Amino acid sequence: MRVLLTGGAGFIGQHVLRELTRRGHQVRVVDSMRVDVHGTDEAWRPPPDVEFVAADMRDNDAITQALSGIDSVIHLAAKVGLGVDVNDLPDYAASNDVGTAVLLAGMANREVQSLTLASSMVVYGEGVGLCRQHGRVGPGPRSASDMEEGRFEPPCPICGVPLETSLVDEDAPLDPRNAYASSKVAQEFYAANWARLTGGSVAAMRYHNVYGPGMPKDTPYAGVAAIFASALRRGEAPKVFEDGGQRRDFVHVRDVAAATVMACERHDTDVRAFNVGSGTPRTVADMANALAKALDGPSPTITGHFRLGDVRHITADSSRLRNELAWLPNIAFADGMSELANELTPNGVGSKREVLR
């Protein structure tokens, strides 16, 4: 199959590229190589058998030309991060919303019928919690007074009782809480509109906390891993906020790449969202302990400090991906964290060029 891979020079993109070529696909990569994503000293070059097009996703002529002869598209190109300031909105909308719209129009013109879209767990916002009286509910806001007293679990918005954790499935309400999340929801909606108009298929891959070789320091939860590793290398205990019980689903980037390529190969009808997670929730304290063990450093310190607005728990139910596409993660958490600890440099920056070439 001849695949157009957008964002193929990025963190996840390079692993997807490797998986595509390993499985015998012909690949054309489109990437803007924008400085705020790749830096000014990035010297990434594609493998010799991969065609590379340096273009902005908003360049209609370049994207339409890049789609020539393509059978399927994997769309990873996006401005990432969170976008917590209102002034961030225009760049996220221009980069992610408009870029995706241009791609979809080009696919319609070139009669390309298959799209695998990189979405994110952030579309769920705070996710869902379980109240023993009211069932599955959206968590209520956590107050500063409660958190100062060490009460970190979010309350039921109806009765105020602390919620139990619950896995988030793909049918959970979408509740984007920042510019990046809003742009991911928009990408999914644009793709669904395209599919209805053209009869195309969409696999929306909602990635959870992706980590691994080449991870940049400014992705969500990559930064805290780098901070923990830097402290450990100084002989200091990593400092963990709240009680360390914040739950996430840390999934290795090579497992994410395999899931993405399998969706590209196997999903060929309708519009379907897939959570992409390990299926085993871990806490932030688990991550700190795993890095401490890998680096033979002191055990983490639980500080009780907090940031208002942080999500307490967001963990995936990835059974749809396992059942419908026969995907299973292969990289154990301890092994992945050990690899990450050894790859992070003292200033918390991984080397994509050394790891992925």
Side-chain angles (χ1 to χ4, degrees), residues 104 117 174 184-196:
L104 293 169
L117 172 68
L174 302 182
K184 283 292 154 183
V185 171
Q187 286 182 314
E188 289 197 27
F189 285 167
Y190 283 128
N193 293 338
W194 164 84
R196 280 191 291 270

Side-chain angles (χ1 to χ4, degrees), residues 110-185:
R110 290 291 190 182
E111 298 184 344
V112 181
Q113 293 285 290
S114 172
L115 174 67
T116 305
L117 172 68
S119 189
S120 171
M121 66 165 187
V122 296
V123 301
Y124 299 119
E126 297 279 347
V128 295
L130 184 63
C131 176
R132 295 192 177 186
Q133 181 178 354
H134 299 103
R136 285 164 60 90
V137 295
R142 298 191 291 166
S143 69
S145 59
D146 278 348
M147 296 174 77
E148 287 168 355
E149 295 295 326
R151 296 188 292 271
F152 297 113
E153 296 302 330
C156 172
I158 302 170
C159 64
V161 171
L163 294 173
E164 298 177 9
T165 59
S166 179
L167 295 180
V168 179
D169 63 29
E170 293 87 351
D171 296 324
L174 302 182
D175 184 22
R177 298 292 185 94
N178 54 59
Y180 175 63
S182 296
S183 72
K184 283 292 154 183
V185 171

Side-chain angles (χ1 to χ4, degrees), residues 38-125:
H38 299 280
T40 57
D41 61 345
E42 194 66 45
W44 181 81
R45 294 291 183 274
D49 56 344
V50 172
E51 184 181 351
F52 176 57
V53 178
D56 191 296
M57 292 303 302
R58 295 164 291 189
D59 185 335
N60 182 72
D61 291 340
I63 298 305
T64 300
Q65 182 60 36
L67 285 160
S68 177
I70 292 296
D71 302 307
S72 186
V73 174
I74 297 177
H75 182 35
L76 305 182
K79 178 179 172 63
V80 298
L82 294 178
V84 296
D85 189 276
V86 70
N87 291 316
D88 295 327
L89 290 171
D91 195 19
Y92 280 95
S95 300
N96 299 354
D97 298 27
V98 175
T100 300
V102 169
L103 173 67
L104 293 169
M107 291 176 67
N109 292 332
R110 290 291 190 182
E111 298 184 344
V112 181
Q113 293 285 290
S114 172
L115 174 67
T116 305
L117 172 68
S119 189
S120 171
M121 66 165 187
V122 296
V123 301
Y124 299 119

